């Protein structure tokens, strides 16, 4: 589409990333094992190509995190793809203790020979921004505190929803005999992403700040993907569905954000979000069902997306006179996608083996 072709390179390389990249390169020379965390929704797009030559010579495990947001019907094909290339791969949910336990068991198994020879082992955790590295580190700490005699005060990595939260490299001792350290690192990207569609995927997944690309452009891209895959046609049951809160004013964007470590304040909040999802899915399905154009024609697809923006504005109850209506629609649509409310997705296609 035109907005993909004409976008140019995506550049987002904050100052701390240059220093962090150099530090990671130095630590890669010393570490015994690398856990490369990738986003399960973009298993290829979320790799750092600049670090790939250095990682290729190390004992490495690719951890496809956020598996709860990825399509399980496609996920097993990705695992098979990595296995075919003799690359260890494991799907995980960094917020699940049992999932991270399986990861640790696999790392220990891969380091079994080194454990018997080395008094100290270093495990480096790397990945692009916002793939869940710090969440993984925190869960490893929780497990290690019960499994191993941990010395000193237990530290936790800072977890955030914005890319680039971890801006320093910190080491965490997780075991004795042998001493084993896990090194957390900031998320680093290549200085420039020449393939704009890869950049859009990274932004859609939250690894690049929205402001670099623009929320509307990201929403256009996601709608193009959904339409060409025919995904909205699976939501026919929501067409014309009545909602429970027709008279309630629209909630702010903050009401759509997930709340950590606590359930919604009351049942109506849950019902409200469900109603929002139902209206959004029904609106997208209705527009695609009534579409008479050719999805392979750029102009027709752009017309459909424009119609869907108008339908989403109505479904999300955004005032028609709002000066930034399309921006508001885009932000809320992206929030629902990133929360997994529209269903599990994998944006990358499995390469031919």
């Amino acid at each position: 589409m035109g907005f993909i072709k004409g976008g140019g390179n995506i550049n987002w390389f904050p100052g701390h990333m240059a220093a962090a990249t150099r530090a990671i390169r130095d630590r890669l020379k010393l570490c015994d094992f690398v856990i490369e965390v990738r986003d399960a929704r973009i298993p290829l797009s979320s790799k750092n190509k600049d670090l790939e030559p250095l990682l290729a010579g190390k004992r490495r495990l690719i951890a496809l995190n956020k598996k709860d947001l990825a399509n399980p019907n496609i996920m097993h094909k990705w695992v098979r793809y990595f296995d075919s290339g003799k690359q260890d791969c494991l799907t995980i949910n960094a917020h699940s203790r049992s999932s991270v336990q399986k990861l640790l068991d696999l790392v220990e198994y891969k380091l079994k020979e080194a454990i018997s020879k080395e008094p100290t082992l270093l495990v480096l955790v790397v990945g692009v921004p916002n793939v869940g590295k710090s969440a993984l580190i925190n869960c490893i700490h929780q497990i290690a505190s019960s499994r191993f005699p941990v010395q000193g005060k237990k530290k936790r990595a800072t977890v955030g929803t914005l890319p680039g939260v971890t801006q320093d490299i910190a080491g965490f001792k997780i075991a004795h005999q042998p001493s084993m350290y896990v090194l957390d690192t900031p998320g680093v990207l290549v200085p420039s992403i020449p393939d704009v569609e890869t950049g859009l995927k990274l932004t859609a997944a939250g690894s690049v700040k929205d402001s670099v690309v623009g929320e509307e452009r990201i929403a256009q891209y996601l709608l193009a993907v959904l339409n060409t895959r025919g995904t909205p046609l699976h939501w026919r049951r929501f067409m014309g569905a009545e909602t429970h809160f027709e008279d309630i004013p629209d909630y702010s964007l903050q009401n759509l954000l997930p709340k950590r470590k606590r359930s919604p304040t009351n049942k109506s909040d849950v019902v409200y979000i469900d109603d929002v999802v139902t209206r959004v899915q029904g609106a997208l399905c209705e527009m695609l069902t009534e579409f008479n154009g050719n999805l392979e024609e750029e102009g027709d697809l752009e017309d459909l997306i424009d119609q869907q923006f108008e339908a989403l504005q109505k479904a999300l109850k955004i005032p028609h006179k709002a000066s930034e209506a399309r921006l508001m629609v885009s932000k809320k649509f992206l929030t629902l996608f990133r929360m997994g409310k529209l269903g599990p997705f994998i944006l990358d296609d499995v390469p031919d083996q």
Side-chain angles (χ1 to χ4, degrees):
M1 293 182 65
F3 67 85
I4 293 179
K5 289 181 179 178
N9 290 4
I10 291 178
N11 294 278
W12 181 56
F13 201 67
H16 76 270
M17 282 195 185
T21 299
R22 291 191 296 270
I24 290 173
R25 289 177 185 273
D26 292 339
R27 282 162 176 77
L28 276 172
K29 300 174 184 177
L30 303 174
C31 73
D32 300 283
F33 196 87
V34 177
I35 299 174
E36 183 189 359
V37 185
R38 298 188 189 179
D39 191 316
R41 297 168 295 179
I42 46 174
L44 282 185
S45 297
S46 57
K47 72 176 181 180
N48 187 322
K49 293 184 178 180
D50 280 4
L51 294 179
E52 192 68 20
L54 297 174
L55 296 177
K58 306 295 295 186
R59 282 176 288 197
R60 172 176 55 154
L61 170 66
I62 294 177
L64 296 177
N65 189 30
K66 306 184 182 182
K67 70 174 184 178
D68 53 313
L69 300 177
N71 188 337
N73 297 323
I74 306 296
M75 199 71 262
H76 73 278
K77 296 180 181 180
W78 276 103
V79 174
R80 190 162 62 242
Y81 165 77
F82 286 113
D83 287 344
S84 69
K86 308 300 181 183
Q87 173 58 63
D88 293 317
C89 173
L90 185 69
T91 61
I92 67 167
N93 177 354
H95 294 287
S96 165
R97 183 167 178 147
S98 61
S99 182
V100 175
Q101 179 66 66
K102 292 180 181 179
L103 173 68
L104 285 178
D105 291 342
L106 183 55
V107 171
E108 285 191 18
Y109 175 77
K110 294 296 178 180
L111 284 174
K112 188 174 183 180
E113 183 177 346
I115 286 175
S116 62
K117 298 178 180 179
E118 300 292 338
T120 302
L121 296 172
L122 299 180
V123 178
L124 190 66
V125 180
V126 300
V128 302
N130 208 30
V131 290
K133 299 180 302 301
S134 294
L136 174 61
I137 290 288
N138 288 338
C139 194
I140 288 175
H141 262 295
Q142 294 173 10
I143 295 173
S145 64
S146 60
R147 290 181 57 196
F148 306 112
V150 180
Q151 287 185 336
K153 185 178 180 182
K154 185 174 73 171
K155 298 180 180 178
R156 292 172 61 87
T158 301
V159 178
T161 58
L162 293 177
V165 169
T166 307
Q167 298 186 3
D168 193 8
I169 295 180
F172 304 90
K173 189 172 185 178
I174 63 170
H176 278 328
Q177 299 176 351
S179 295
M180 187 177 296
Y181 292 85
V182 172
L183 305 183
D184 187 22
T185 62
V188 292
L189 285 169
V190 292
S192 179
I193 306 171
D195 178 52
V196 180
E197 187 166 4
T198 297
L200 287 167
K201 291 176 182 177
L202 285 165
T203 312
S207 292
V208 176
K209 288 184 178 179
D210 291 348
S211 58
V212 175
V213 176
E215 289 88 346
E216 184 177 338
R217 190 176 176 208
I218 309 167
Q220 285 178 311
Y221 171 72
L222 287 175
L223 286 171
V225 172
L226 295 182
N227 289 324
T228 53
R229 292 182 178 181
T231 302
L233 297 179
H234 296 290
W235 301 331
R236 284 193 175 93
R237 65 187 182 278
F238 300 127
M239 288 176 58
E242 295 184 2
T243 56
H244 300 82
F245 292 107
E246 291 296 333
D247 298 327
I248 289 183
D250 181 45
Y251 276 26
S252 66
L253 180 65
Q254 191 66 29
N255 290 100
L256 291 180
L257 296 176
K259 305 295 190 300
R260 285 193 181 277
K261 297 184 179 179
R262 68 181 182 87
S263 59
T265 53
N266 54 63
K267 187 176 180 179
S268 66
D269 288 344
V270 177
V271 177
Y272 168 78
I273 295 176
D274 288 344
D275 281 346
V276 170
V277 174
T278 297
R279 293 199 303 267
V280 166
Q281 292 176 323
L284 294 179
C285 180
E286 185 174 355
M287 291 297 100
L288 183 55
T289 301
E290 297 176 353
F291 176 64
N292 295 319
N294 185 352
L295 290 175
E296 296 182 0
E297 293 290 336
E298 293 181 7
D300 288 355
L301 182 55
E302 288 174 354
D303 289 341
L304 171 61
I305 291 174
D306 286 339
Q307 295 171 18
Q308 288 176 324
F309 262 97
E310 294 179 4
L312 288 174
Q313 182 177 342
K314 181 179 179 181
L316 293 168
K317 299 182 180 179
I318 296 173
H320 288 281
K321 294 183 180 180
S323 59
E324 298 182 349
R326 284 179 72 98
L327 178 60
M328 294 170 64
V329 168
S330 300
K331 287 183 175 181
K332 293 195 175 187
F333 179 71
L334 289 176
T335 298
L336 292 175
F337 172 80
R338 289 166 177 165
M339 290 172 62
K341 294 298 182 181
L342 300 179
F345 293 96
I346 296 180
L347 297 177
D348 282 339
D349 295 322
V350 182
D352 294 330
Q353 295 183 357

